[in-house]
Amino acid sequence: MREKSPHLYGVLITAAGVLLLTPDGLLVRLIGADSATILFWRGILFSIGIFGFYLLRRGAATLGLVQAMGKRGLLAALLFSLSTCFFVLAITHTSAANALVIIATAPLFAALFSWLILKETISLSTWIAISVCIGGISLIFLGSVGGGSRDGDFYAIICAFMIAGQITTVRHARSVDMVPSLGIAGLLTALIALPFSAPLAITGLDFMYLCILGLIVLPCAFGLITIGPRYISAPEVSLLMLMESILGPFWVWLVLAEVPRPETFIGGTIVIATLVIHTGVAYRKSRPVPARG
């Protein structure tokens, strides 16, 4: 398939990665352990999944790949680790719909960081999208006032910022394989969580969920999502990533009967619609103009 249609291959492999990632929030919700213990095991198992894949594929050369990332690899790992910490805190302190819709805005914040740090130009459509999404997020926050989930919404915002920083760092080092930084991020997450966690108090069922999450869902999903952009444009990747914001809350609703608030429906619709329109505009701009004969 790759030989016949690289673009179709990229779309399918990215979509498969995003679909694999959609149960992430549900699996975190199903685990009965505290947030720190979840983060400890999630980080350890995720690191085993990433480095296990590289060791099987590249063997001793894996160490060279880690060293080649340099300081940017460590920064990307730290930012991804912090995004993981705040993702789990968001999922456990607010509704899955609130958390995933807010986190979906990370690519827009990445554009903002690229403007500030990499001096890249931001188009007028991106500025408009950022402004509209901030309005949608504000509406989601408004629905959380008095509902005990405002802290979780705030954690989701920080998670989006950390993801945006990680995306910007990886783009700055686009000539280097930065996937091993995810394995380092897993170890950092476990170290951050260790003083506050109770790793040995985990139940058998919770550990099973964590193994599914850390050894299968996360490594396979992020591995596929990392391969996809080699064959399709960034706007297409962003558009496919929106599936998580839609399907993630759906799985939580289906299994745990968690119904989002009206403000989340309205604010989420504003955010998702804005992201869809923005990525559609970006995709049209990124397509080459056909030559006139």
Side-chain angles (χ1 to χ4, degrees):
M1 180 184 295
R2 190 175 358 176
E3 290 77 10
K4 292 183 179 179
S5 177
H7 181 268
L8 178 60
Y9 175 78
V11 169
L12 292 177
I13 204 167
T14 304
V18 177
L19 285 172
L20 271 173
L21 190 60
T22 58
D24 187 3
L26 173 62
L27 287 168
V28 171
R29 281 294 185 84
L30 289 173
I31 298 168
D34 61 273
S35 298
T37 301
I38 293 173
L39 282 167
F40 173 82
W41 283 113
R42 179 188 174 108
I44 288 290
L45 294 170
F46 182 46
S47 182
I48 290 172
I50 293 292
F51 283 131
F53 170 79
Y54 268 84
L55 287 171
L56 287 173
R57 188 181 178 188
R58 305 296 294 270
T62 301
L63 180 60
L65 293 173
V66 173
Q67 292 174 333
M69 295 186 299
K71 293 180 180 178
R72 290 177 297 186
L74 290 176
L75 177 59
L78 177 61
L79 291 168
F80 190 85
S81 175
L82 291 173
S83 76
T84 299
C85 293
F86 284 106
F87 172 79
V88 171
L89 287 171
I91 285 290
T92 53
H93 286 79
T94 190
S95 70
N98 283 29
L100 293 174
V101 167
I102 292 171
I103 291 169
T105 60
L108 292 180
F109 291 124
L112 191 60
F113 288 169
S114 295
W115 172 65
L116 290 170
I117 299 170
L118 304 182
K119 307 304 179 184
E120 295 182 352
T121 303
I122 295 183
S123 65
L124 177 61
S125 61
T126 300
W127 281 117
I128 294 172
I130 290 171
S131 302
V132 175
C133 283
I134 289 173
I137 291 171
S138 299
L139 188 58
I140 293 172
F141 266 94
L142 185 64
S144 298
V145 174
S149 61
R150 187 171 55 182
D151 288 348
D153 294 347
F154 182 68
Y155 295 144
I157 282 282
I158 299 176
C159 176
F161 283 156
M162 294 300 106
I163 292 173
Q166 191 254 358
I167 291 171
T168 305
T169 304
V170 170
R171 289 188 71 251
H172 188 260
R174 64 185 69 187
S175 61
V176 181
D177 182 1
M178 298 288 278
V179 176
S181 69
L182 299 178
I184 298 173
L187 295 176
L188 287 175
T189 301
L191 285 174
I192 292 170
L194 182 59
F196 313 100
S197 66
L200 300 181
I202 199 82
T203 66
L205 181 61
D206 284 348
F207 191 69
M208 182 189 74
Y209 288 139
L210 282 163
C211 285
I212 293 171
L213 185 62
L215 295 177
I216 301 173
V217 171
L218 297 178
C220 292
F222 283 112
L224 292 172
I225 292 169
T226 302
I227 294 171
R230 299 177 188 175
Y231 303 96
I232 60 177
S233 66
E236 288 176 291
V237 174
S238 298
L239 192 59
L240 289 168
M241 287 296 293
L242 290 176
M243 285 194 297
E244 186 188 10
S245 303
I246 298 168
L247 291 178
F250 173 75
W251 301 135
V252 175
W253 168 78
L254 192 66
V255 177
L256 302 178
E258 179 181 280
V259 180
R261 296 186 181 92
E263 292 87 353
T264 300
F265 271 118
I266 299 171
T269 300
I270 292 171
V271 170
I272 297 300
T274 301
L275 292 172
V276 168
I277 293 169
H278 177 262
T279 50
V281 170
Y283 173 61
R284 288 189 63 184
K285 289 181 178 178
S286 67
R287 295 177 67 182
V289 177
R292 296 183 179 180

